[in-house]
């Protein structure tokens, strides 16, 4: 008996999200014979098209995309089982291999981890790749972001709460002058120095004084430099940065890789508590877990939900 339209639709939906719905595929594809599979291909115009020789073949673009969706659960599990330092080292190396569109991952690792965690990542990177992360960032990046990113991954910030308000106010003026001066702000030594060396409490004070001076936030003045905006947000409001990444991932299939990284790396941390709280406030009382249920499928969905709810 040929597959029913409902069965074909179920299989199509099982292959049409972030991840795949394995149980639906097993219960349907596993019972179909060769004729049934032929009927499925003829009835599923989302994935297959009839060519001039009369048989239905996969759209080439969907073969790679479908294989990638099957691998999402595997990648999430592998990343979760790694030591956090090893995981961040691998993610940093991947970011360097992918190029400029992934440089935000380096900012994320350098600015949302504690000083000891970042030091651990540097040690793991050295062990895994037989060179330093600073060396790779300096040699792989040839764009204007290089100076900033080398400084960020090299940082070891003071983590106490002490802030000298007079110094913070002075550095806010210095930062403001550097951003407003002629030249490229992302390459300005003073901008890089302050963002890469000052403690997070001190940076919050600096940015508050900046706002008082300019009557607007520093992020508004950095609109021409998305990576500087990301740096500021990761240092002082990481939950807002992560929510932006999650929204992009959940609403744009091309950015879905961010979903795995953010959930896996932030699970069991204070960041995840703040992410869930802020997400609820920003999305009209819709919890992050509900959005994940709506946009993901199968074992991948189940694993992410378990991590989110830890």
């Amino acid at each position: 008996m040929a597959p029913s339209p409902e069965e074909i639709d179920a299989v199509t939906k099982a292959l049409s999200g972030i991840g795949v719905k394995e149980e639906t595929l097993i219960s349907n594809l596993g019972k179909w014979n060769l004729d049934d599979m032929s009927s499925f291909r003829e009835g599923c115009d989302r994935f297959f098209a009839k060519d001039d020789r009369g048989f239905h073949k996969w759209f080439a673009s969907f073969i790679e995309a479908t294989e990638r969706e099957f691998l999402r659960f595997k990648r999430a599990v592998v990343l979760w089982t790694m030591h956090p330092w090893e995981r961040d080292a691998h993610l940093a190396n991947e970011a360097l291999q992918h190029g400029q569109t992934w440089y935000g991952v380096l900012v994320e690792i350098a600015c949302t981890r504690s000083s000891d965690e970042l030091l651990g990542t540097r040690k793991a990177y050295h062990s895994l790749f037989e060179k330093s992360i600073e060396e790779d960032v300096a040699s792989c990046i040839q764009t204007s972001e290089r100076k900033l990113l080398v400084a960020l991954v090299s940082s070891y910030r003071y983590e106490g709460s002490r802030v000298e308000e007079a110094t913070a106010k002075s550095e806010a003026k210095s930062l403001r002058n550097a951003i407003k001066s002629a030249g490229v702000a992302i390459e300005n030594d003073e901008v890089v120095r302050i963002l890469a060396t000052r403690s997070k409490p001190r940076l919050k004070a600096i940015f508050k004084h900046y706002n008082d001076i300019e009557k607007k936030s520093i992020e508004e003045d950095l609109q021409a430099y998305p990576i500087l905006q990301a740096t500021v947000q990761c240092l002082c409001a990481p939950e807002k940065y992560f929510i932006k990444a999650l929204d992009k991932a959940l609403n744009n299939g091309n950015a879905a890789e961010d979903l795995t990284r953010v959930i896996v790396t932030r699970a069991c941390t204070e960041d995840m508590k703040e992410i869930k709280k802020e997400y609820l406030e920003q999305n009209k009382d819709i919890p992050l877990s509900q959005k994940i249920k709506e946009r993901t499928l199968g074992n991948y969905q189940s694993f992410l939900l378990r991590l989110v709810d830890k």
Side-chain angles (χ1 to χ4, degrees):
M1 188 177 194
S4 68
E6 291 76 18
E7 289 175 322
I8 291 175
D9 183 58
V11 171
T12 302
K13 289 179 178 177
L15 293 168
S16 301
I18 304 176
V20 296
K21 200 169 184 179
E22 291 90 350
E23 289 186 6
T24 298
L25 298 178
I26 292 168
S27 63
N28 286 281
L29 297 180
K31 72 179 181 181
W32 294 346
N33 59 32
L34 294 179
D35 289 336
D36 295 333
M37 291 303 301
S38 180
S39 297
F40 166 65
R41 288 191 293 271
E42 291 175 9
C44 184
D45 57 7
R46 175 174 171 78
F47 299 116
F48 303 94
K50 191 174 183 178
D51 69 6
D52 55 8
R53 297 184 182 182
F55 66 89
H56 291 80
K57 64 179 182 179
W58 272 95
F59 288 113
S61 59
F62 275 103
I63 295 176
E64 182 179 345
T66 303
E67 290 175 342
R68 185 168 61 246
E69 295 307 327
F70 272 101
L71 291 173
R72 288 201 189 281
F73 174 59
K74 173 187 172 183
R75 176 170 171 80
V77 169
V78 170
L79 285 175
W80 177 245
T81 55
M82 287 180 178
H83 188 284
W85 299 351
E86 179 188 9
R87 182 169 61 218
D88 279 349
H90 276 290
L91 290 170
N93 185 258
E94 283 182 7
L96 289 170
Q97 305 310 314
H98 280 86
Q100 194 167 12
T101 57
W102 279 52
Y103 290 168
V105 176
L106 296 172
V107 171
E108 181 181 313
I109 292 169
C111 298
T112 66
R113 303 337 187 220
S114 70
S115 293
D116 283 341
E117 287 169 341
L118 181 56
L119 179 60
T121 296
R122 296 211 295 270
K123 291 178 179 179
Y125 197 99
H126 189 280
S127 177
L128 290 168
F129 304 109
E130 292 296 328
K131 46 191 166 181
S132 71
I133 188 172
E134 299 92 333
E135 177 185 353
D136 263 3
V137 171
S139 62
C140 292
I141 297 176
Q142 303 299 321
T143 56
S144 60
E145 295 94 342
R146 178 165 59 182
K147 183 186 294 185
L148 173 70
L149 290 172
V150 169
L152 290 177
V153 300
S154 306
S155 180
Y156 191 90
R157 301 176 193 275
Y158 164 68
E159 293 193 331
S161 59
R162 182 167 176 261
V163 175
E164 295 178 357
E165 288 296 331
T167 306
K169 188 172 184 179
S170 174
E171 290 194 320
K173 292 178 182 177
S174 178
L175 187 60
R176 180 259 183 201
N177 292 337
I179 291 173
K180 299 288 185 179
S181 67
V184 182
I186 197 171
E187 295 182 320
N188 185 287
D189 288 339
E190 191 69 354
V191 173
V192 171
R193 179 187 70 81
I194 292 172
L195 293 181
T197 66
R198 294 316 187 206
S199 72
K200 293 176 183 180
R202 182 158 169 174
L203 284 168
K204 288 180 181 180
I206 290 170
F207 298 152
K208 179 183 178 298
H209 287 300
Y210 189 105
N211 185 79
D212 292 340
I213 295 167
E214 284 294 297
K215 306 305 178 187
K216 59 181 175 180
S217 71
I218 187 173
E219 289 182 62
E220 291 179 80
D221 275 345
L222 293 175
Q223 288 182 356
Y225 307 100
I227 201 161
L228 284 178
Q229 284 186 316
T231 300
V232 169
Q233 203 159 61
C234 282
L235 287 167
C236 293
E239 68 281 359
K240 294 180 180 178
Y241 167 86
F242 285 123
I243 287 172
K244 190 182 297 182
L246 288 171
D247 279 338
K248 184 179 177 182
L250 289 165
N251 294 297
N252 178 358
N254 293 328
E257 184 62 36
D258 293 347
L259 179 61
T260 303
R261 187 186 72 257
V262 172
I263 298 299
V264 170
T265 64
R266 298 300 87 206
C268 298
T269 69
E270 287 299 316
D271 281 346
M272 180 57 74
K273 294 178 183 178
E274 292 301 317
I275 289 167
K276 290 194 290 185
K277 179 181 175 182
E278 184 75 16
Y279 192 93
L280 199 64
E281 292 177 2
Q282 287 190 21
N283 289 275
K284 301 177 181 178
D285 294 331
I286 297 174
L288 175 59
S289 57
Q290 181 177 325
K291 187 66 173 181
I292 291 173
K293 285 180 183 177
E294 292 172 0
R295 293 291 290 119
T296 62
L297 298 171
N299 291 331
Y300 178 66
Q301 176 195 91
S302 300
F303 191 62
L304 292 187
L305 290 174
R306 289 296 295 269
L307 295 182
V308 166
D309 292 335
K310 277 186 170 294

